[in-house]
Amino acid sequence: MSASSSSSQRHFRKSVHCRDESLLIQRAGSSKLGSRCYSCLKSRRTATTESNNHNSNNNDAPNGCTRGISYETIIAEAHTCIGHGSSEGAFHEEWDAQLLVKSGLSADGSQIVIFCPKFLDPCLDDPDELDTAFRYVLLNMDSIVRQEQYIFVYCVLGLDWTHPQLSHMVRLAYDILPKMYAKHLQHFYILHATTAFRMSMWTFWASLSERLWSKIVYVDTLEDLCEQIHPNDPTSQAELQRRFPQLVLRSDASRIGKEPPVAFGVAIEQLSDNFGIDYMDKTTGRWFRRLPPSLICLCEVMEREGADEDFTGLFGAESERLFSVIDCIDEGRPLGRDIPMHVLWCALKLFLDCLPTPLFSYEAVEQVQQSDITAADKSAHREFLANLLQRQLLQEASHTALYVATFLHTLCKNAQRKDQQKTILTYHLAAWTFAPAFLRPLRPTKESVEAWPTAVALIETFLRCAEDPELWPSGS
């Protein structure tokens, strides 16, 4: 889809933040789009009216509806945003690892939900993105609230809630949320609250119900929070703490006088233990255990933005922009908007190449050297890979290697499908570029240099067959 077409689609999309829906028609930019928008809005108003009439006789109805927008309407529209990869209008997949994180059950059986709105920072000036994020949060919360009791953990990380778009969405959320949200809520924990945030909360005192207000609990440290949710259970406390985004862990470390955790140049096992994310990739439908969150954010943004078209600029990234991205990766901060894709390619290669050990371990190159595998023997490649991924590697390294391989596989496949005279990203080119991330010698030798073409061919086979079930560990 062309840039102009994509832009028109974004402008045409319905937005819950608009006080006057007629503005959407003006933003559509043409009489044709305006006509379509008008028809869509007319249908929407009809559906909303019917929904509101239904709610008027429902004990679980929202506190009220703002300007004709009902909770049910937004949930219905949010379902149309479920997708993956570069699907137009789909929710950002990395939000599952950053914005709203389901984190298991508490000691009393309540679902724990961690909310980190700081990750909305990059889209504060994009009303459409905020609209999409709003729908994402409501849709995911709806699936929880309708079924079970829950604990909500709000992480205060300095987001400016006085921003007009955010304050309007908070007001809208309160107006439309059904009573089941307060009814099923067990505790509303606010982590790392500042004095300014506590004062701003008092501005909502008159509008919050007594039931909700009585469930708000301020907590100063993660240790205290985990102790309250899992009393006298160190194992569950450690597991819950791992579920928090790195940015929250850094904030907590600074508060208690510890060294904030970083991600660049840290072993996969340590990254997984500290803040690894159990993540389902919607493109492949696969579950990955304890992935480094920075890796998820990089890869999902690149897939969504069609980064295969910018692969050849990988080694020409501007240093200033590259260092800015590296800082975000290192500290777990949200990536900025409008970052050139070739800069993200370079950052991804640096992140993987700077791991203390390659994903397949240093011994993998020695095994290739000592075997009779040739560059052309694809069957031997697959047998070698299956044995390595299923029997030799730790789960963290195996799943990270498979995640990177499926990401590269997807982008190579997308590049092949595009109507262009020359495919910019190929399996062979990707293998030559990223082979050192998977396997490399601890110290280069004559033997390792001679075995390198075979090693690259092995990685190319891995990228081509990354989704084949025979390579995956059981239970993946």
Side-chain angles (χ1 to χ4, degrees), residues 200-250:
S200 67
M201 281 296 295
W202 278 104
T203 64
F204 293 101
W205 180 83
S207 57
L208 293 180
S209 66
E210 183 178 350
R211 171 188 281 181
L212 177 57
W213 191 260
S214 65
K215 296 177 181 180
I216 294 176
V217 181
Y218 290 99
V219 186
D220 292 330
T221 67
L222 267 176
E223 183 179 357
D224 292 343
L225 173 66
C226 295
E227 174 63 33
Q228 292 193 42
I229 295 178
H230 292 292
N232 305 316
D233 187 349
T235 301
S236 296
Q237 291 172 19
E239 179 66 15
L240 175 58
Q241 185 160 323
R242 177 182 64 81
R243 306 284 186 117
F244 282 83
Q246 182 189 353
L247 196 59
V248 179
L249 297 178
R250 286 180 61 84

Side-chain angles (χ1 to χ4, degrees), residues 409 416 427-428 459-468:
H409 172 87
Q416 290 179 338
Y427 291 106
H428 183 68
I459 298 305
E460 182 176 347
T461 300
F462 184 35
L463 301 187
R464 290 181 180 276
C465 306
E467 295 184 16
D468 287 7

Side-chain angles (χ1 to χ4, degrees), residues 150-174:
Y150 69 103
I151 291 173
F152 196 80
V153 181
Y154 179 96
C155 300
V156 179
L157 292 167
L159 187 68
D160 181 14
W161 283 102
T162 63
H163 190 284
Q165 299 296 343
L166 287 178
S167 59
H168 176 64
M169 284 191 171
V170 171
R171 181 69 249 182
L172 174 61
Y174 181 75

Side-chain angles (χ1 to χ4, degrees), residues 80-102:
T80 67
C81 298
I82 297 175
H84 60 81
S86 57
S87 301
E88 182 70 25
F91 293 135
H92 295 188
E93 291 185 64
E94 66 271 19
W95 284 344
D96 290 344
Q98 296 178 323
L99 183 60
L100 195 73
V101 184
K102 297 179 183 179

Side-chain angles (χ1 to χ4, degrees), residues 312-329:
T312 54
L314 184 153
F315 295 106
E318 303 87 344
S319 59
E320 185 176 347
R321 281 193 157 180
L322 178 61
F323 293 149
S324 176
V325 171
I326 289 174
D327 284 343
C328 289
I329 295 172

